Amino acid sequence: LMAPESLESPEPLHEAILECLEQQGASFLLEIETDVASRGVTTSPQGFREALWDLVWAGLITNDTFGPLRELARTGPRKRRRRGGAGPVVTGGRWALVSNLVPATANPTQQTVARTQLLLERYGIVSRDCLGNEDFSGGFGPIYKVLRELEEQGRVRRGYFVEGLAGAQFAYAGAVDRLRAGREQVEERDHAVEQPDVQLLNAMDPANPFGALLPWPEVAAPGQGKPRRVAGAWVVLARGRPVLYVAARGKRMITFPEAVRDEEGALAAALAALRGLPRAALRGQFVVEQIDGQPPRESSHLEAFREAGFSNDYRGLILTEAPDFDPAP
């Protein structure tokens, strides 16, 4: 793992919590609060909880359960403010120093090998371009040496597997076979797009190469906004091609003309797959306010949206009836 960044400007409260855990070991929340108070460090309940999370995000402490993390996800910042609560939830389980669980220093060679295996499993096909999405120090040179060694051992293959990726490309044999099978699927034109042909991905997912390893295909209205790899955005692919880009909260959609072919039914299948969007991604009702930069009622795809279960709303289109469709995992 990469060494976590040090906590910027630690305060006496942060230091008191770390000293408590250093002396007492894994401790429950009440035990930490009592010990910190005995050291003469006072703060509000909200300040104490925020300090704990500061140490978590800095990679200095952890909890032996997922309870605090689940509670943090369920009670977002807005809900906490409305309730007038005491800040981020930290109850459940014992808190402990991360330094007691991992070695103080990592072997550089083992670390490079681990990162290389991570890239192979995450991207399938690894080239220099993959590091554009990763925060790895040292560049591609050390990873290339490991890949070359793995190739000599027969554990990975080197070749030109994906057009557009720069330099040498490496992959496990299984990844190459799956890629070739996917190419045959993409080239199929003898039947309409079906459920197994569709994938719904978060735009930032490493499984989505567009906007990172590969450029986004041409959109229907380039002057009205372009797809981006940002939090909360989603992309629907049919036979490996992007069909729909769904902006955060589903209010804005962008279509890709190259993939939207009436004879294949790609758009209809992609719209049906939208039922797979997590509720948390929408934060309420599924309301589409723009399609390719236009109000939905002016879009040429209006009828396809209606057939997929969307109906007119004063804000645009609202999903009122989800079709019986499940996107492929």
Side-chain angles (χ1 to χ4, degrees), residues 229-250:
R229 295 176 67 95
V230 295
W234 295 78
V235 60
V236 187
L237 294 89
R239 292 176 177 160
R241 294 188 177 93
V243 179
L244 277 178
Y245 174 86
V246 184
R249 302 184 66 178

Side-chain angles (χ1 to χ4, degrees), residues 200-273:
L200 177 64
L201 297 175
N202 188 289
M204 298 180 68
D205 194 315
N208 170 34
F210 299 99
L213 303 182
L214 301 174
W216 290 101
E218 180 182 353
V219 298
Q224 300 297 324
K226 297 182 178 180
R228 296 185 300 147
R229 295 176 67 95
V230 295
W234 295 78
V235 60
V236 187
L237 294 89
R239 292 176 177 160
R241 294 188 177 93
V243 179
L244 277 178
Y245 174 86
V246 184
R249 302 184 66 178
K251 296 183 178 297
R252 183 170 59 90
M253 292 197 187
I254 298 174
T255 63
F256 299 91
E258 181 182 349
V260 179
R261 297 186 174 95
D262 292 338
E263 64 272 18
E264 293 182 18
L267 180 59
L271 290 172

Side-chain angles (χ1 to χ4, degrees), residues 53-250:
W53 280 112
D54 288 342
L55 296 172
V56 171
W57 304 136
L60 297 176
I61 68 173
T62 186
N63 194 284
D64 58 6
T65 74
F66 285 106
L69 204 57
R70 291 193 182 102
E71 285 298 317
L72 183 66
R74 281 197 293 264
T75 59
R78 294 183 181 180
K79 291 184 179 180
R80 287 196 300 273
R81 286 198 294 269
R82 287 199 298 267
R83 291 200 311 263
V89 179
V90 292
T91 55
R94 297 178 302 170
W95 296 90
L97 295 175
V98 172
S99 59
N100 297 333
L101 305 175
V102 297
T105 58
N107 181 303
T109 301
Q110 292 178 332
Q111 190 175 57
T112 303
V113 172
R115 291 178 178 178
T116 304
Q117 292 174 335
L118 173 66
L119 292 175
L120 287 166
E121 294 171 0
R122 177 173 290 172
Y123 294 99
I125 309 296
V126 176
S127 73
R128 185 184 301 273
D129 294 339
C130 294
L131 265 66
N133 299 321
E134 306 292 342
D135 189 19
F136 288 173
S137 59
F140 189 65
I143 291 174
Y144 177 78
K145 292 180 180 179
V146 174
L147 288 169
R148 191 171 57 185
E149 179 66 25
L150 292 174
E151 181 194 13
E152 292 177 357
Q153 297 175 10
R155 297 171 61 184
V156 301
R157 294 180 183 176
R158 184 207 301 238
Y160 188 63
F161 306 116
V162 178
E163 183 178 354
L165 292 185
Q169 301 175 22
F170 298 85
Y172 290 128
V176 176
D177 294 340
R178 292 187 64 184
L179 187 65
R180 288 172 177 163
R183 179 183 61 187
E184 296 173 358
Q185 181 190 49
V186 168
E187 293 173 349
E188 284 184 355
R189 292 290 182 273
D190 58 347
H191 68 276
V193 173
E194 299 175 351
Q195 174 179 344
D197 302 326
V198 179
Q199 292 82 34
L200 177 64
L201 297 175
N202 188 289
M204 298 180 68
D205 194 315
N208 170 34
F210 299 99
L213 303 182
L214 301 174
W216 290 101
E218 180 182 353
V219 298
Q224 300 297 324
K226 297 182 178 180
R228 296 185 300 147
R229 295 176 67 95
V230 295
W234 295 78
V235 60
V236 187
L237 294 89
R239 292 176 177 160
R241 294 188 177 93
V243 179
L244 277 178
Y245 174 86
V246 184
R249 302 184 66 178

Side-chain angles (χ1 to χ4, degrees), residues 17-40:
I17 294 173
L18 293 175
E19 290 175 3
C20 168
L21 295 177
E22 177 69 31
Q23 296 176 7
Q24 295 186 181
S27 305
F28 290 102
L29 177 64
L30 181 59
E31 296 172 335
I32 302 174
E33 289 178 324
T34 302
D35 186 90
V36 169
S38 69
R39 299 172 186 270

